[in-house]
């Protein structure tokens, strides 16, 4: 799939996105690796109560009381959390946020189950946890960032992965989204096989 994105990236759409050489493939691999990052949040982790208790008792994972009992889709959590991570990776920010590369990619990945979620406003970006306490406190944000950094290093090595400098044209964004949607169940299937081979079970 990455080779297909690279091939298409050589065309007008890729040029418009600033996509050259293997960069499109890197973006696809990086973004696909980040699409489920919203699962690093209290509401999702409570799905396994025994494991969550270990985290809940850790002072590093302090969160607002009751945050784990709130309803929060992991794709929505990913959309919100990735805006900060991508901004810290120097993805440009614009006003309104919906025109920004960092928000476009975050919203794109938040749609990996087929539903685009409402664009964030500037007030949300200034205080993500204030507006969505279900994301957890600083410990949860640090864990998400650590995961993201590992994925970025696996994809780009010590040199990292170049930031998207300007918003993707619609046709290019749709291609990326389509392949990320396909990557999601593939990754879950592979993970399930690994769990089974180690004596565990797939969710």
């Amino acid at each position: 799939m990455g080779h297909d994105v690279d091939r298409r990236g050589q065309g007008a759409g890729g040029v418009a996105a600033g996509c050259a050489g293997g960069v499109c493939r890197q973006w696809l691999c990086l973004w696909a690796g980040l699409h489920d990052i919203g699962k690093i949040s209290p509401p999702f982790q409570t799905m396994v109560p025994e494991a969550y208790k270990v985290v809940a008792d850790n002072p590093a994972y302090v969160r607002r009381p009751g945050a784990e009992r709130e309803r929060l889709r992991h794709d929505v959590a990913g959309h919100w959390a990735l805006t900060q991570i991508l901004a810290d990776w120097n993805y440009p920010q614009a006003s309104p946020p919906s025109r920004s590369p960092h928000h476009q990619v975050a919203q794109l990945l938040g749609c990996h189950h087929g539903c685009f979620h409402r664009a964030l406003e500037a007030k949300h970006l200034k205080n993500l946890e204030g507006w969505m306490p279900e994301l957890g406190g600083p410990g949860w944000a640090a864990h998400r960032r650590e995961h993201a950094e590992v994925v970025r290093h696996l994809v780009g090595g010590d040199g990292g992965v170049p930031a998207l400098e300007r918003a993707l044209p619609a046709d290019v964004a749709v291609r990326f989204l389509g392949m990320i949607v396909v990557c999601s169940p593939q990754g879950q299937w592979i993970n399930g096989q690994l769990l089974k081979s180690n004596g565990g079970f797939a969710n």
Side-chain angles (χ1 to χ4, degrees), residues 40-185:
I40 306 175
S41 59
F44 190 88
Q45 293 303 314
T46 56
M47 294 174 68
V48 184
E50 312 81 39
Y52 178 71
K53 187 178 186 305
V54 176
V55 178
D57 293 340
N58 187 334
Y61 288 89
V62 173
R63 71 278 176 209
R64 190 196 72 175
E68 69 275 10
R69 294 192 296 272
E70 300 291 338
R71 294 178 60 87
L72 174 65
R73 291 175 56 108
H74 73 273
D75 46 350
V76 177
H79 174 184
W80 279 63
L82 282 168
T83 57
Q84 183 61 59
I85 292 171
L86 296 175
D88 289 346
W89 286 352
N90 297 318
Y91 281 57
Q93 303 173 61
S95 183
S98 58
R99 297 181 180 272
S100 302
H102 84 300
H103 184 277
Q104 183 195 41
V105 175
Q107 191 175 35
L108 200 69
L109 299 188
C111 183
H112 69 268
H113 282 299
C115 176
F116 279 105
H117 303 292
R118 186 183 300 274
L120 276 63
E121 301 176 25
K123 63 182 181 182
H124 300 138
L125 298 177
K126 292 177 180 177
N127 186 13
L128 291 175
E129 292 171 15
W131 285 94
M132 187 174 283
E134 300 95 323
L135 288 173
W140 292 92
H143 196 146
R144 288 189 293 266
R145 185 176 307 283
E146 182 180 355
H147 171 87
E149 291 292 352
V150 168
V151 174
R152 184 166 69 154
H153 186 267
L154 287 172
V155 174
D158 293 336
V161 179
L164 177 68
E165 295 182 357
R166 52 186 178 272
L168 296 168
D171 62 324
V172 178
V174 167
R175 292 188 187 118
F176 272 110
L177 176 59
M179 283 183 271
I180 289 168
V181 168
V182 171
C183 287
S184 179

